[in-house]
Amino acid sequence: MDVASRHQLGLLLTTLGGDVTFAPDGSALYTTGRTEDEETWLSTFPTDPEQAAATLCARVGTTLSREEWTRLIPESSYREICPKGAAGIR
């Protein structure tokens, strides 16, 4: 969600049978759920844009191509989020 314009960006975050909540100070988004084996999991996502981008870039190891960006986030202009050469980014 682009807060300024109140316009949705990208796809909705969904969980199967879990909960989604923000940290009291708004610094993180928490998701919980259960696996098919009934194991409980908790995921934490930072909400600060720079920290979120750094976390994502470290996990995926690449930035989106122009084609991927157009397919996944067509309502926003392309920009390179993950700097090349940083933390294994190609």
Side-chain angles (χ1 to χ4, degrees):
M1 170 77 67
D2 177 61
V3 177
S5 69
R6 310 278 304 156
H7 189 282
Q8 178 182 322
L9 298 175
L11 304 174
L12 294 175
L13 175 65
T14 59
T15 63
L16 299 174
D19 295 309
V20 177
T21 189
F22 283 96
D25 65 359
S27 65
L29 177 71
Y30 301 113
T31 63
T32 63
R34 291 189 181 269
T35 67
E36 291 179 7
D37 298 329
E38 294 298 315
E39 294 179 29
T40 302
W41 52 262
L42 168 69
S43 295
T44 304
F45 302 93
T47 56
D48 173 73
E50 289 183 16
Q51 186 181 3
T55 299
L56 261 163
C57 292
R59 285 184 184 174
V60 299
T62 187
T63 195
L64 291 175
S65 68
R66 286 186 182 274
E67 294 77 24
E68 291 167 324
W69 188 284
T70 300
R71 183 171 42 84
L72 298 169
I73 318 171
E75 61 279 350
S76 182
S77 300
Y78 177 79
R79 57 185 180 262
E80 194 169 287
I81 302 296
C82 303
K84 288 185 176 149
I89 305 301
R90 39 188 160 96

Coordinates of all heavy atoms in Angstrom, one line a residue:
M1 N 0.9 -1.2 0.0 CA 0.0 0.0 0.0 C 0.9 1.2 0.0 O 1.8 1.3 0.8 CB -0.9 0.0 1.2 CG -1.7 1.2 1.5 SD -3.1 1.5 0.5 CE -4.2 0.2 1.0
D2 N 0.6 2.1 -0.9 CA 1.3 3.4 -0.9 C 0.5 4.3 0.1 O -0.7 4.6 -0.2 CB 1.3 4.0 -2.3 CG 1.9 5.4 -2.3 OD1 3.1 5.5 -1.9 OD2 1.2 6.4 -2.6
V3 N 1.1 4.6 1.2 CA 0.4 5.3 2.2 C -0.1 6.7 1.8 O -1.3 7.0 2.0 CB 1.2 5.4 3.5 CG1 0.5 6.2 4.6 CG2 1.6 4.1 4.0
A4 N 0.7 7.4 1.1 CA 0.3 8.8 0.7 C -0.9 8.8 -0.2 O -1.8 9.6 0.0 CB 1.5 9.4 0.0
S5 N -1.0 7.9 -1.2 CA -2.1 7.9 -2.2 C -3.2 6.9 -1.8 O -4.2 6.8 -2.4 CB -1.6 7.5 -3.6 OG -1.2 6.1 -3.6
R6 N -2.9 6.0 -0.7 CA -3.8 5.0 -0.3 C -4.1 4.0 -1.5 O -5.2 3.4 -1.6 CB -5.1 5.5 0.2 CG -5.0 6.6 1.3 CD -4.7 6.1 2.7 NE -5.8 5.2 3.1 CZ -5.5 4.3 4.1 NH1 -4.4 4.3 4.6 NH2 -6.5 3.5 4.5
H7 N -3.1 3.8 -2.3 CA -3.2 2.9 -3.5 C -2.5 1.6 -3.2 O -1.3 1.6 -2.8 CB -2.6 3.6 -4.7 CG -2.9 2.9 -6.0 ND1 -2.2 1.8 -6.4 CD2 -3.8 3.1 -7.0 CE1 -2.6 1.4 -7.6 NE2 -3.6 2.2 -7.9
Q8 N -3.1 0.5 -3.5 CA -2.5 -0.8 -3.3 C -1.4 -1.0 -4.3 O -1.5 -0.8 -5.5 CB -3.5 -1.9 -3.4 CG -2.9 -3.3 -3.3 CD -3.9 -4.4 -3.5 OE1 -5.0 -4.3 -3.1 NE2 -3.4 -5.5 -4.1
L9 N -0.2 -1.5 -3.8 CA 0.9 -1.8 -4.7 C 1.2 -3.3 -4.5 O 1.2 -3.8 -3.4 CB 2.2 -1.0 -4.3 CG 2.1 0.5 -4.4 CD1 3.4 1.1 -3.8 CD2 1.9 0.9 -5.8
G10 N 1.3 -4.0 -5.6 CA 1.7 -5.4 -5.6 C 0.5 -6.2 -5.2 O -0.7 -5.8 -5.2
L11 N 0.8 -7.5 -4.8 CA -0.2 -8.5 -4.5 C -0.5 -8.4 -3.0 O 0.3 -8.0 -2.2 CB 0.3 -9.9 -4.9 CG 0.6 -10.0 -6.3 CD1 1.2 -11.4 -6.6 CD2 -0.6 -9.8 -7.2
L12 N -1.7 -8.9 -2.6 CA -2.0 -9.0 -1.2 C -1.2 -10.1 -0.5 O -1.0 -11.1 -1.1 CB -3.5 -9.2 -1.0 CG -4.5 -8.2 -1.5 CD1 -5.9 -8.7 -1.3 CD2 -4.3 -6.9 -0.6
L13 N -0.8 -9.8 0.8 CA -0.2 -10.8 1.6 C -1.3 -11.7 2.2 O -2.2 -11.2 2.8 CB 0.6 -10.1 2.7 CG 1.3 -11.1 3.7 CD1 2.4 -11.9 3.0 CD2 1.9 -10.2 4.8
T14 N -1.2 -13.0 1.9 CA -2.2 -13.9 2.5 C -1.5 -15.0 3.3 O -0.4 -15.3 3.1 CB -3.0 -14.6 1.4 OG1 -2.1 -15.3 0.5 CG2 -3.8 -13.6 0.5
T15 N -2.2 -15.5 4.3 CA -1.7 -16.6 5.1 C -2.8 -17.6 5.2 O -4.0 -17.3 5.1 CB -1.3 -16.2 6.5 OG1 -2.5 -15.7 7.2 CG2 -0.3 -15.1 6.5
L16 N -2.5 -18.8 5.3 CA -3.5 -19.9 5.4 C -3.8 -20.2 6.9 O -3.0 -20.8 7.6 CB -3.0 -21.2 4.8 CG -2.7 -21.0 3.3 CD1 -2.1 -22.3 2.7 CD2 -4.0 -20.7 2.5
G17 N -4.9 -19.7 7.4 CA -5.3 -20.0 8.8 C -4.5 -19.3 9.8 O -4.4 -19.7 11.0
G18 N -3.8 -18.2 9.5 CA -3.0 -17.5 10.4 C -3.5 -16.1 10.7 O -4.5 -15.7 10.3
D19 N -2.7 -15.4 11.4 CA -3.0 -14.0 11.8 C -1.9 -13.1 11.2 O -0.8 -13.5 11.1 CB -3.1 -13.9 13.3 CG -4.2 -14.6 13.9 OD1 -5.3 -14.5 13.4 OD2 -4.0 -15.4 14.9
V20 N -2.3 -11.8 11.0 CA -1.4 -10.8 10.6 C -1.6 -9.6 11.5 O -2.8 -9.2 11.7 CB -1.7 -10.4 9.1 CG1 -0.8 -9.3 8.7 CG2 -1.5 -11.6 8.2
T21 N -0.5 -9.1 12.1 CA -0.7 -7.9 13.0 C 0.6 -7.1 12.9 O 1.7 -7.6 12.6 CB -1.0 -8.4 14.4 OG1 -1.3 -7.3 15.2 CG2 0.2 -9.1 15.0
F22 N 0.5 -5.8 13.3 CA 1.6 -4.9 13.3 C 2.2 -4.9 14.8 O 1.4 -5.0 15.7 CB 1.2 -3.5 12.9 CG 1.1 -3.3 11.4 CD1 -0.1 -3.4 10.8 CD2 2.2 -3.1 10.7 CE1 -0.3 -3.3 9.5 CE2 2.1 -2.9 9.3 CZ 0.9 -3.0 8.7
A23 N 3.5 -4.7 14.9 CA 4.1 -4.4 16.2 C 3.4 -3.2 16.8 O 3.0 -2.3 16.0 CB 5.6 -4.3 16.1
P24 N 3.3 -3.0 18.1 CA 2.7 -1.9 18.7 C 3.3 -0.5 18.2 O 2.6 0.5 18.1 CB 3.0 -2.1 20.2 CG 3.1 -3.5 20.4 CD 3.7 -4.0 19.1
D25 N 4.6 -0.5 17.9 CA 5.3 0.7 17.5 C 5.3 0.8 16.0 O 5.8 1.8 15.4 CB 6.7 0.8 18.0 CG 7.6 -0.3 17.5 OD1 7.2 -1.2 16.7 OD2 8.8 -0.3 17.8
G26 N 4.7 -0.1 15.3 CA 4.6 -0.1 13.8 C 5.8 -0.5 13.1 O 5.9 -0.4 11.8
S27 N 6.9 -1.0 13.8 CA 8.2 -1.2 13.2 C 8.2 -2.6 12.4 O 9.2 -2.8 11.7 CB 9.3 -1.2 14.2 OG 9.0 -2.3 15.2
A28 N 7.2 -3.4 12.6 CA 7.2 -4.7 12.0 C 5.8 -5.2 11.8 O 4.9 -4.8 12.4 CB 8.0 -5.7 12.9
L29 N 5.7 -6.2 10.8 CA 4.5 -6.9 10.5 C 4.8 -8.3 10.9 O 5.7 -8.9 10.5 CB 4.1 -6.8 9.1 CG 2.9 -7.5 8.6 CD1 1.6 -6.9 9.2 CD2 2.8 -7.5 7.1
Y30 N 3.9 -8.9 11.7 CA 4.0 -10.3 12.2 C 3.0 -11.1 11.5 O 1.8 -10.7 11.5 CB 3.9 -10.4 13.7 CG 4.9 -9.6 14.5 CD1 4.5 -8.6 15.2 CD2 6.3 -9.9 14.4 CE1 5.4 -7.8 16.0 CE2 7.2 -9.2 15.1 CZ 6.8 -8.2 15.9 OH 7.7 -7.4 16.6
T31 N 3.3 -12.3 11.0 CA 2.4 -13.3 10.5 C 2.6 -14.6 11.2 O 3.7 -15.0 11.5 CB 2.5 -13.5 9.0 OG1 3.7 -14.1 8.7 CG2 2.3 -12.2 8.2
T32 N 1.5 -15.3 11.5 CA 1.6 -16.6 12.2 C 0.7 -17.6 11.4 O -0.2 -17.2 10.7 CB 1.1 -16.6 13.6 OG1 -0.3 -16.2 13.6 CG2 1.9 -15.6 14.5
G33 N 0.9 -18.8 11.6 CA 0.1 -19.8 10.9 C 0.6 -21.2 11.4 O 1.4 -21.4 12.3
R34 N 0.0 -22.2 10.8 CA 0.3 -23.6 11.1 C 0.6 -24.4 9.8 O -0.1 -24.1 8.8 CB -0.9 -24.3 11.8 CG -1.1 -23.8 13.2 CD -2.1 -24.6 13.9 NE -2.4 -24.1 15.3 CZ -1.7 -24.5 16.4 NH1 -0.8 -25.4 16.3 NH2 -2.0 -23.9 17.5
T35 N 1.5 -25.3 9.9 CA 1.8 -26.1 8.8 C 0.8 -27.2 8.7 O 0.0 -27.4 9.7 CB 3.3 -26.7 8.9 OG1 3.3 -27.6 10.0 CG2 4.3 -25.6 9.0
E36 N 0.9 -28.1 7.7 CA 0.0 -29.2 7.6 C 0.2 -30.2 8.8 O -0.6 -30.9 9.2 CB 0.2 -29.9 6.3 CG -0.3 -29.2 5.1 CD 0.0 -29.9 3.8 OE1 0.4 -31.1 3.8 OE2 -0.3 -29.3 2.7
D37 N 1.4 -30.2 9.4 CA 1.8 -31.0 10.5 C 1.4 -30.3 11.8 O 1.8 -30.8 12.9 CB 3.3 -31.4 10.5 CG 3.7 -32.1 9.3 OD1 2.8 -32.9 8.8 OD2 4.8 -32.0 8.9
E38 N 0.6 -29.3 11.8 CA 0.2 -28.5 13.0 C 1.3 -27.8 13.7 O 1.2 -27.5 14.9 CB -0.6 -29.4 13.9 CG -1.9 -29.9 13.3 CD -2.9 -28.7 13.0 OE1 -3.1 -27.8 13.8 OE2 -3.5 -28.8 11.9
E39 N 2.4 -27.6 13.1 CA 3.5 -26.8 13.7 C 3.2 -25.3 13.5 O 2.8 -24.9 12.4 CB 4.9 -27.1 13.0 CG 5.3 -28.6 13.3 CD 6.6 -28.9 12.6 OE1 7.5 -27.9 12.5 OE2 6.9 -30.0 12.2
T40 N 3.4 -24.6 14.5 CA 3.1 -23.1 14.5 C 4.4 -22.4 14.0 O 5.5 -22.7 14.4 CB 2.7 -22.6 15.9 OG1 1.6 -23.3 16.3 CG2 2.4 -21.1 15.8
W41 N 4.2 -21.4 13.1 CA 5.3 -20.6 12.7 C 5.0 -19.1 12.9 O 3.9 -18.7 12.9 CB 5.7 -20.9 11.2 CG 4.6 -20.8 10.2 CD1 3.9 -21.9 9.8 CD2 4.0 -19.6 9.6 NE1 2.9 -21.4 8.9 CE2 2.9 -20.1 8.8 CE3 4.3 -18.3 9.7 CZ2 2.2 -19.2 8.1 CZ3 3.5 -17.4 9.0 CH2 2.5 -17.9 8.2
L42 N 6.1 -18.3 13.0 CA 6.0 -16.9 13.1 C 7.0 -16.2 12.1 O 8.1 -16.6 12.1 CB 6.3 -16.4 14.5 CG 6.5 -14.9 14.7 CD1 5.1 -14.1 14.6 CD2 7.0 -14.6 16.1
S43 N 6.5 -15.3 11.3 CA 7.4 -14.6 10.4 C 7.3 -13.1 10.8 O 6.3 -12.6 11.2 CB 7.0 -14.8 9.0 OG 7.1 -16.1 8.6
T44 N 8.4 -12.4 10.7 CA 8.5 -11.0 11.0 C 9.0 -10.3 9.7 O 10.0 -10.7 9.1 CB 9.5 -10.8 12.2 OG1 9.1 -11.5 13.3 CG2 9.5 -9.3 12.5
F45 N 8.3 -9.2 9.4 CA 8.7 -8.4 8.2 C 8.9 -7.0 8.7 O 7.9 -6.4 9.3 CB 7.6 -8.5 7.2 CG 7.3 -9.9 6.7 CD1 6.3 -10.6 7.3 CD2 8.0 -10.4 5.7 CE1 6.0 -11.9 6.9 CE2 7.7 -11.7 5.2 CZ 6.7 -12.4 5.8
P46 N 10.0 -6.4 8.4 CA 10.2 -5.0 8.8 C 9.3 -4.1 8.0 O 9.0 -4.3 6.8 CB 11.7 -4.7 8.5 CG 12.1 -5.7 7.5 CD 11.2 -6.9 7.8
T47 N 8.9 -3.0 8.6 CA 8.0 -2.0 7.8 C 8.7 -0.8 7.3 O 8.2 -0.1 6.5 CB 6.8 -1.6 8.7 OG1 7.3 -1.0 9.9 CG2 5.9 -2.8 9.0
D48 N 10.0 -0.5 7.9 CA 10.8 0.6 7.4 C 11.2 0.2 5.9 O 11.7 -0.8 5.7 CB 12.0 0.7 8.2 CG 13.0 1.7 7.7 OD1 12.7 3.0 7.7 OD2 14.0 1.3 7.1
P49 N 10.9 1.1 5.0 CA 11.1 0.8 3.6 C 12.6 0.4 3.3 O 12.8 -0.6 2.5 CB 10.7 2.0 2.8 CG 9.8 2.7 3.7 CD 10.2 2.4 5.1
E50 N 13.5 1.1 3.8 CA 14.9 0.8 3.5 C 15.3 -0.6 4.2 O 16.0 -1.4 3.6 CB 15.9 1.9 4.0 CG 15.7 3.1 3.2 CD 16.7 4.2 3.6 OE1 17.6 4.0 4.3 OE2 16.5 5.4 3.2
Q51 N 14.9 -0.8 5.4 CA 15.2 -2.1 6.1 C 14.5 -3.2 5.3 O 15.0 -4.3 5.2 CB 14.8 -2.0 7.5 CG 15.2 -3.3 8.3 CD 14.8 -3.3 9.7 OE1 14.1 -2.4 10.2 NE2 15.2 -4.3 10.5
A52 N 13.2 -3.0 4.9 CA 12.5 -4.1 4.2 C 13.2 -4.4 2.9 O 13.3 -5.6 2.5 CB 11.1 -3.6 3.9
A53 N 13.6 -3.4 2.2 CA 14.3 -3.6 0.9 C 15.7 -4.4 1.1 O 16.0 -5.3 0.4 CB 14.6 -2.3 0.2
A54 N 16.4 -4.0 2.2 CA 17.7 -4.7 2.5 C 17.4 -6.1 2.8 O 18.2 -7.0 2.4 CB 18.4 -3.9 3.6
T55 N 16.4 -6.4 3.6 CA 16.1 -7.8 4.0 C 15.7 -8.6 2.8 O 16.2 -9.7 2.6 CB 14.9 -7.8 5.0 OG1 15.3 -7.1 6.2 CG2 14.5 -9.2 5.4
L56 N 14.8 -8.0 1.9 CA 14.4 -8.8 0.7 C 15.6 -9.0 -0.2 O 15.7 -10.1 -0.7 CB 13.3 -7.9 0.0 CG 11.9 -8.4 0.3 CD1 10.9 -7.3 -0.1 CD2 11.7 -9.7 -0.5
C57 N 16.4 -8.0 -0.4 CA 17.6 -8.2 -1.3 C 18.5 -9.2 -0.8 O 19.0 -10.0 -1.6 CB 18.3 -6.8 -1.5 SG 17.3 -5.6 -2.3
A58 N 18.7 -9.3 0.5 CA 19.6 -10.3 1.1 C 19.0 -11.7 0.9 O 19.7 -12.7 0.6 CB 19.8 -10.0 2.6
R59 N 17.7 -11.8 1.0 CA 17.0 -13.1 0.8 C 17.0 -13.6 -0.6 O 17.2 -14.8 -0.9 CB 15.6 -13.1 1.4 CG 15.5 -13.0 2.8 CD 14.1 -13.1 3.3 NE 14.0 -13.0 4.7 CZ 12.9 -12.9 5.4 NH1 11.7 -12.9 4.8 NH2 12.9 -12.8 6.7
V60 N 16.7 -12.7 -1.5 CA 16.5 -13.2 -2.9 C 17.8 -13.1 -3.8 O 17.9 -13.8 -4.8 CB 15.4 -12.4 -3.6 CG1 14.1 -12.7 -2.9 CG2 15.7 -11.0 -3.8
G61 N 18.7 -12.3 -3.4 CA 20.0 -12.2 -4.1 C 20.0 -11.5 -5.4 O 21.0 -11.6 -6.2
T62 N 18.9 -10.8 -5.8 CA 18.8 -10.1 -7.0 C 17.7 -9.1 -7.0 O 16.9 -9.1 -6.1 CB 18.5 -11.1 -8.2 OG1 18.6 -10.4 -9.4 CG2 17.1 -11.7 -8.1
T63 N 17.8 -8.1 -7.9 CA 16.7 -7.2 -8.0 C 15.7 -7.6 -9.0 O 16.0 -8.5 -9.8 CB 17.3 -5.8 -8.3 OG1 16.3 -4.8 -8.1 CG2 17.8 -5.7 -9.7
L64 N 14.5 -7.1 -9.1 CA 13.6 -7.4 -10.1 C 14.0 -6.9 -11.5 O 14.5 -5.7 -11.5 CB 12.2 -6.8 -9.8 CG 11.4 -7.4 -8.6 CD1 10.1 -6.7 -8.4 CD2 11.1 -8.9 -8.8
S65 N 13.8 -7.6 -12.5 CA 14.1 -7.1 -13.8 C 12.9 -6.2 -14.2 O 11.9 -6.2 -13.5 CB 14.1 -8.3 -14.9 OG 12.8 -8.9 -15.0
R66 N 13.1 -5.4 -15.3 CA 12.0 -4.5 -15.7 C 10.8 -5.3 -16.0 O 9.6 -4.9 -15.7 CB 12.4 -3.7 -16.9 CG 13.4 -2.6 -16.6 CD 13.7 -1.7 -17.8 NE 14.6 -0.7 -17.4 CZ 14.3 0.5 -16.9 NH1 13.1 0.8 -16.6 NH2 15.3 1.3 -16.6
E67 N 10.9 -6.5 -16.7 CA 9.8 -7.3 -17.0 C 9.1 -7.9 -15.8 O 7.8 -7.9 -15.7 CB 10.3 -8.5 -17.9 CG 10.8 -8.1 -19.3 CD 12.2 -7.6 -19.2 OE1 13.0 -7.9 -18.2 OE2 12.6 -6.8 -20.1
E68 N 9.8 -8.3 -14.8 CA 9.2 -8.8 -13.5 C 8.5 -7.7 -12.8 O 7.4 -7.8 -12.4 CB 10.3 -9.4 -12.6 CG 10.9 -10.7 -13.1 CD 12.1 -11.1 -12.3 OE1 12.9 -10.2 -11.9 OE2 12.3 -12.3 -12.1
W69 N 9.1 -6.5 -12.8 CA 8.5 -5.3 -12.1 C 7.1 -5.0 -12.8 O 6.1 -4.8 -12.2 CB 9.4 -4.1 -12.2 CG 8.9 -3.0 -11.4 CD1 7.9 -2.1 -11.7 CD2 9.4 -2.5 -10.1 NE1 7.8 -1.2 -10.8 CE2 8.7 -1.4 -9.8 CE3 10.4 -3.0 -9.3 CZ2 8.9 -0.7 -8.6 CZ3 10.6 -2.3 -8.1 CH2 9.9 -1.2 -7.7
T70 N 7.2 -5.0 -14.2 CA 5.9 -4.6 -14.9 C 4.8 -5.6 -14.7 O 3.7 -5.3 -14.5 CB 6.3 -4.6 -16.4 OG1 7.3 -3.6 -16.6 CG2 5.0 -4.3 -17.3
R71 N 5.2 -6.9 -14.5 CA 4.2 -8.0 -14.3 C 3.7 -7.9 -12.9 O 2.5 -8.1 -12.6 CB 4.8 -9.3 -14.6 CG 3.9 -10.5 -14.4 CD 4.4 -11.8 -14.9 NE 5.8 -12.1 -14.6 CZ 6.2 -12.6 -13.5 NH1 5.4 -12.9 -12.5 NH2 7.5 -12.8 -13.3
L72 N 4.6 -7.7 -11.9 CA 4.2 -7.8 -10.5 C 3.7 -6.4 -9.9 O 2.9 -6.4 -9.0 CB 5.4 -8.3 -9.7 CG 5.8 -9.7 -10.0 CD1 7.2 -10.0 -9.3 CD2 4.8 -10.7 -9.6
I73 N 4.3 -5.3 -10.3 CA 4.0 -4.0 -9.8 C 3.7 -3.0 -10.9 O 4.4 -2.0 -11.0 CB 5.1 -3.5 -8.8 CG1 5.7 -4.6 -8.0 CG2 4.6 -2.4 -7.9 CD1 6.9 -4.3 -7.2
P74 N 2.7 -3.3 -11.7 CA 2.5 -2.4 -12.9 C 2.1 -1.0 -12.6 O 2.3 -0.1 -13.4 CB 1.4 -3.2 -13.7 CG 0.7 -3.9 -12.7 CD 1.7 -4.3 -11.7
E75 N 1.6 -0.8 -11.4 CA 1.1 0.6 -11.1 C 2.2 1.5 -10.6 O 1.9 2.6 -10.3 CB -0.1 0.5 -10.1 CG 0.3 -0.2 -8.8 CD 0.3 -1.7 -8.8 OE1 -0.1 -2.3 -9.8 OE2 0.8 -2.3 -7.8
S76 N 3.4 1.0 -10.5 CA 4.5 1.8 -10.0 C 5.6 1.8 -11.0 O 5.9 0.8 -11.6 CB 5.0 1.2 -8.7 OG 6.0 2.0 -8.1
S77 N 6.3 3.0 -11.1 CA 7.4 3.1 -12.1 C 8.6 2.2 -11.6 O 8.9 2.1 -10.4 CB 7.9 4.5 -12.1 OG 6.9 5.4 -12.6
Y78 N 9.3 1.6 -12.6 CA 10.4 0.8 -12.3 C 11.5 1.5 -11.6 O 11.8 2.7 -11.9 CB 11.0 0.2 -13.6 CG 12.2 -0.7 -13.3 CD1 12.1 -2.0 -12.9 CD2 13.5 -0.2 -13.5 CE1 13.2 -2.8 -12.6 CE2 14.6 -1.0 -13.3 CZ 14.4 -2.3 -12.8 OH 15.5 -3.1 -12.6
R79 N 12.1 0.8 -10.6 CA 13.3 1.3 -10.0 C 14.1 0.1 -9.5 O 13.6 -0.9 -9.1 CB 13.1 2.3 -8.9 CG 12.2 1.8 -7.8 CD 11.9 2.9 -6.8 NE 11.0 2.5 -5.7 CZ 9.7 2.7 -5.7 NH1 9.1 3.3 -6.7 NH2 9.0 2.2 -4.7
E80 N 15.4 0.2 -9.5 CA 16.3 -0.9 -9.0 C 16.4 -0.7 -7.5 O 16.9 0.2 -7.0 CB 17.7 -0.8 -9.7 CG 18.5 -2.0 -9.5 CD 19.7 -2.0 -10.4 OE1 19.5 -2.2 -11.6 OE2 20.8 -1.8 -9.8
I81 N 15.9 -1.7 -6.8 CA 15.9 -1.7 -5.4 C 17.1 -2.3 -4.7 O 17.7 -1.7 -3.8 CB 14.6 -2.5 -4.8 CG1 13.3 -1.9 -5.4 CG2 14.6 -2.6 -3.3 CD1 13.0 -0.6 -5.0
C82 N 17.6 -3.4 -5.3 CA 18.8 -4.0 -4.7 C 20.0 -3.6 -5.5 O 20.2 -3.8 -6.7 CB 18.7 -5.6 -4.8 SG 17.2 -6.2 -4.0
P83 N 21.0 -2.9 -4.8 CA 22.2 -2.5 -5.5 C 23.1 -3.7 -5.9 O 23.3 -4.6 -5.1 CB 22.9 -1.7 -4.4 CG 22.4 -2.1 -3.1 CD 21.0 -2.6 -3.4
K84 N 23.5 -3.6 -7.1 CA 24.4 -4.7 -7.7 C 25.7 -4.7 -6.9 O 26.2 -3.7 -6.5 CB 24.6 -4.5 -9.1 CG 23.4 -4.7 -10.0 CD 23.7 -4.6 -11.4 CE 22.4 -5.0 -12.2 NZ 22.3 -4.3 -13.4
G85 N 26.1 -6.0 -6.6 CA 27.4 -6.2 -5.9 C 27.2 -6.2 -4.4 O 28.1 -6.6 -3.7
A86 N 26.1 -5.8 -3.9 CA 25.9 -5.8 -2.4 C 25.3 -7.2 -2.0 O 24.3 -7.6 -2.5 CB 24.9 -4.7 -2.0
A87 N 25.9 -7.8 -1.0 CA 25.4 -9.0 -0.4 C 25.1 -10.1 -1.5 O 24.1 -10.7 -1.4 CB 24.3 -8.8 0.5
G88 N 25.9 -10.2 -2.5 CA 25.7 -11.2 -3.5 C 24.6 -10.9 -4.5 O 24.2 -11.7 -5.3
I89 N 24.2 -9.6 -4.6 CA 23.2 -9.2 -5.6 C 23.8 -9.3 -7.0 O 24.9 -8.8 -7.2 CB 22.7 -7.8 -5.3 CG1 22.2 -7.7 -3.8 CG2 21.6 -7.4 -6.3 CD1 21.1 -8.6 -3.5
R90 N 23.1 -9.9 -7.9 CA 23.6 -10.0 -9.3 C 22.7 -9.0 -10.1 O 21.7 -8.6 -9.9 CB 23.6 -11.4 -9.8 CG 22.4 -12.2 -9.4 CD 22.5 -13.7 -9.7 NE 21.6 -14.4 -8.9 CZ 20.4 -14.8 -9.3 NH1 20.0 -14.5 -10.5 NH2 19.6 -15.4 -8.5

